[in-house]
Amino acid sequence: MADQKPGEPRKMRTSVKGPLMFSAFWGVVVFFAVLIFASGGSGHSPRFDLAFTGGGIAFIVSLVMAAMLSMSYKENAEHLGKGSGVNLSSRKARSHGGAARGPAAPPAASPEDPEAPAPGH
């Protein structure tokens, strides 16, 4: 989006070709399914009235569903992809007085130990 000016809202590039093709596919599938199954066998004439009705309903319903799903789409904010995250440690934290299940913490150095580093170093 190199041609976008600062402060200008972001323009989303959306296409209606995908949802229309999806809806048309389901409309045709339902049309032929109703045409075949609603006639009641090969001895009866095909029910084009029910087939067109079923195909139209399937087309409209799937188009509305695709439109609702595309309207509900929202990109993540930029700051969510950065940072250190939360709970990166695999060690379990102490909870409500219980002992941690992870490896034990190293023992504290005694004040008599000359090899132990001094506090603050």
Side-chain angles (χ1 to χ4, degrees):
M1 303 217 174
D3 60 340
Q4 183 179 355
K5 296 175 185 163
E8 187 176 315
R10 205 189 254 189
K11 294 178 184 174
M12 292 181 56
R13 300 182 85 199
T14 57
S15 174
V16 297
K17 186 177 181 181
L20 279 176
M21 295 286 287
F22 176 78
S23 299
F25 169 76
W26 286 111
V28 169
V29 167
V30 170
F31 173 82
F32 282 115
V34 171
L35 185 65
I36 292 169
F37 295 115
S39 63
S42 60
H44 299 82
S45 63
R47 296 290 309 263
F48 284 103
D49 56 338
L50 291 177
F52 279 117
T53 303
I57 289 172
F59 175 77
I60 291 170
V61 166
S62 60
L63 189 63
V64 167
M65 285 176 40
M68 300 258 307
L69 288 173
S70 68
M71 285 191 315
S72 67
Y73 173 75
K74 180 181 175 185
E75 288 193 28
N76 287 338
E78 289 293 325
H79 71 277
L80 293 177
K82 298 179 178 134
S84 61
V86 180
N87 298 331
L88 293 179
S89 174
S90 61
R91 188 173 62 142
K92 296 197 183 262
R94 297 177 187 256
S95 61
H96 300 291
R101 294 183 183 206
S110 64
E112 295 89 26
D113 189 6
E115 293 181 11
H121 288 116

